[in-house]
Amino acid sequence: MLFLVRMDVQVPHDLPADAFEEIKAREKAYSQDLQRQGKWQALYRVVGEYANYSVFDVESNDELHTLLSALPLFRYMKLHVTPLAKHPSSIR
């Protein structure tokens, strides 16, 4: 199942810089592992925002929820999930 996910990160201003750097390092490692597994198919930054669009290929809604809620930055994110289906005019 394919999903388009917009992730908007809203980090509290009072979060210590060293704690934020540690969270970002864990986030990067986790996201890259999911990309290597083929579950996180694409990751695009939104220009001028602390946000991204990502494409996930997972078995179920529950699997997507589990993966997203395990993101180290999850507690600071606003997420919008859109299920995707193959378009009949797509050549891929």
Side-chain angles (χ1 to χ4, degrees), residues 8-82:
D8 290 276
V9 182
Q10 302 163 339
V11 180
H13 296 292
D14 59 349
L15 183 67
D18 57 336
F20 183 46
E21 291 304 315
E22 187 271 332
I23 294 169
K24 287 194 305 184
R26 288 189 294 121
E27 181 89 8
K28 182 176 183 177
Y30 179 64
S31 69
Q32 289 179 346
D33 181 51
L34 291 175
Q35 289 172 69
R36 286 185 198 94
Q37 292 178 44
K39 294 180 183 293
W40 198 323
Q41 294 281 307
L43 173 59
Y44 297 97
R45 176 178 285 165
V46 178
V47 176
E49 299 180 37
Y50 196 173
N52 73 72
Y53 280 102
S54 295
V55 176
F56 288 84
D57 187 1
V58 294
E59 294 298 317
S60 66
N61 295 334
D62 290 331
E63 182 183 11
L64 180 63
H65 179 78
T66 298
L67 296 178
L68 293 176
S69 61
L71 288 164
L73 283 169
F74 179 76
R75 68 188 325 195
Y76 307 117
M77 289 181 174
K78 177 182 172 190
L79 301 172
H80 182 82
V81 177
T82 304

